[in-house]
Amino acid sequence: MGNPRFFRRSGPFSLAVVASAARGVADEVELLLEGVAPLQTAGPKEVSFLDNRRYASALDQTLAGAVIVHPDMAARVPSKAATIVTNEPYAAWARVAALFHPVPPPSPGIHPSAFVADGALVDPSAEVGPLSVIETGAEIGPGCRIGPCAVIGGGVIVGRDCRIGAHVSLSYALLGARVYVYPGARIGQEGFGFASTKDGFLSVPQLGRVIIEDDVEVGANTTIDRGSSQDTLIGAGSRLDNLVQIGHNVVLGRCCVIVAQVGISGSTVLEDFVRVGGQAGLAGHLRIGRGAEIGAQAGLMSDLDPGAKVLGSPAQPKRDFFRQIATLMKMAKKKE
């Protein structure tokens, strides 16, 4: 895990340092740890974790030097392994993995093959990769990394410590701090807006922007259209998977999770902490209440109350959906 050919590694670290990074409590033993690995392959100098009880048998047999576990599972950790106890093992694992494999810092400077237009502002601590383009009026904040062949359009603002992947295009957009846009994403292009006339279609000018707040991640080849008459907004802490389509004027609240191949039509509003499963489709002009969960491949055509859980197409309450499936299965068996 974490092959050095591809992943930078730091350490080794003492058990105390690892436990501190995990925000957990560890045994008071002298132990130097060199990396992280799954329970099945971890060795005496590596840290592992258990978050899902289905893998408890792997815990019994692990050779890991230290294991991150919930207090309920601490007694099952083998005697040869140090125990790091926390109420959130998976979050602790994320922090420990980042300790051993930190994100490489930017290499400040502008590559000779990059084009930075007059009137663009690039902070001296930022990295601008080969063949990238920074257009007039764009601003690149401190600690940013702009990947190869990325295009940052005129007037775009990229906040501090952002990572913009290879071949990304940003236009009509304002990004907050620590935004990570994965390779190939397209942000700020015209939305799908037109008027129908007797002579054909008439394009409607898209005069809004895309506002992406702090700590958002936008997956590879995802597209976020700029607003038409108002801004498209992606709330702080949200996570968008690969191949997601966000239509014009869509508003996502804080910490929404949008899984791969989801399409959200224009002017739909998702309140805070909404989760949308893969390949789900949402009609336009809807309001999805706080904490609602929309299952994979659902087709949603009406508003949802806060906390609602729906599946199917057309989407319906989760309990009703499974009841119908069970009824159909019973009917099929009777016919046999």
Side-chain angles (χ1 to χ4, degrees):
M1 186 173 179
N3 188 296
R5 186 182 188 91
F6 298 105
F7 301 99
R8 178 188 177 199
R9 177 176 293 187
S10 61
F13 298 103
S14 68
L15 175 63
V17 170
V18 172
S20 177
R23 301 180 188 175
V25 177
D27 302 331
E28 294 186 3
V29 296
E30 293 293 327
L31 177 62
L32 205 58
L33 297 162
E34 297 179 352
V36 293
L39 288 168
Q40 297 89 337
T41 62
K45 294 184 179 181
E46 293 175 310
V47 186
S48 192
F49 82 109
L50 176 71
D51 185 53
N52 190 328
R53 291 174 179 268
R54 294 170 60 184
Y55 299 99
S57 60
L59 174 64
D60 297 335
Q61 301 173 27
T62 188
L63 300 177
V67 183
I68 302 167
V69 293
H70 188 275
D72 293 345
M73 299 297 293
R76 291 193 61 169
V77 176
S79 58
K80 292 184 178 180
T83 305
I84 301 174
V85 178
T86 172
N87 288 323
E88 297 181 322
Y90 196 54
W93 168 255
R95 297 185 186 103
V96 170
L99 173 69
F100 283 100
H101 298 282
V103 175
S107 299
I110 299 170
H111 193 274
S113 67
F115 172 77
V116 178
D118 293 339
L121 299 177
V122 178
D123 189 274
S125 64
E127 174 185 343
V128 178
L131 300 175
S132 55
V133 175
I134 314 295
E135 295 183 354
T136 300
E139 299 179 19
I140 308 301
C144 287
R145 172 179 286 170
I146 309 300
C149 300
V151 178
I152 311 300
V156 168
I157 296 178
V158 180
R160 67 167 49 246
D161 298 319
C162 291
R163 290 184 286 165
I164 308 301
H167 293 276
V168 165
S169 63
L170 301 178
S171 58
Y172 305 92
L174 306 177
L175 278 60
R178 299 173 301 280
V179 173
Y180 187 3
V181 182
Y182 287 76
R186 310 297 181 197
I187 297 175
Q189 66 285 327
E190 284 194 26
F192 194 57
F194 54 88
S196 297
T197 74
K198 62 181 181 180
D199 299 318
F201 300 123
L202 182 64
S203 294
V204 176
Q206 306 288 291
L207 303 177
R209 305 168 297 178
V210 175
I211 310 296
I212 300 181
E213 296 183 341
D214 297 347
D215 301 302
V216 169
E217 292 192 9
V218 178
N221 296 316
T222 282
T223 59
I224 304 176
D225 295 345
R226 69 176 182 265
S228 56
S229 57
Q230 61 189 55
D231 294 330
T232 300
L233 174 64
I234 309 299
S238 291
R239 295 288 188 272
L240 280 62
D241 199 356
N242 304 331
L243 296 167
V244 168
Q245 161 65 24
I246 305 293
H248 58 206
N249 303 340
V250 166
V251 174
L252 266 59
R254 295 183 302 114
C255 296
C256 291
V257 176
I258 313 297
V259 183
Q261 298 183 15
V262 164
I264 303 179
S265 300
S267 300
T268 285
V269 175
L270 281 65
E271 297 181 358
D272 298 345
F273 302 104
V274 170
R275 294 173 178 259
V276 185
Q279 297 186 334
L282 281 65
H285 305 276
L286 303 182
R287 189 169 195 93
I288 313 303
R290 177 187 173 99
E293 297 182 10
I294 300 168
Q297 296 188 328
L300 190 68
M301 293 173 280
S302 58
D303 294 349
L304 282 185
D305 293 331
K309 297 181 180 181
V310 297
L311 282 173
S313 185
Q316 55 190 305
K318 185 177 179 180
R319 182 177 296 178
D320 294 347
F321 176 82
F322 284 120
R323 185 181 294 121
Q324 292 174 19
I325 295 298
T327 300
L328 289 172
M329 293 177 67
K330 288 179 181 177
M331 293 174 62
K333 287 182 179 179
K334 287 181 180 179
K335 288 185 178 182
E336 292 176 357

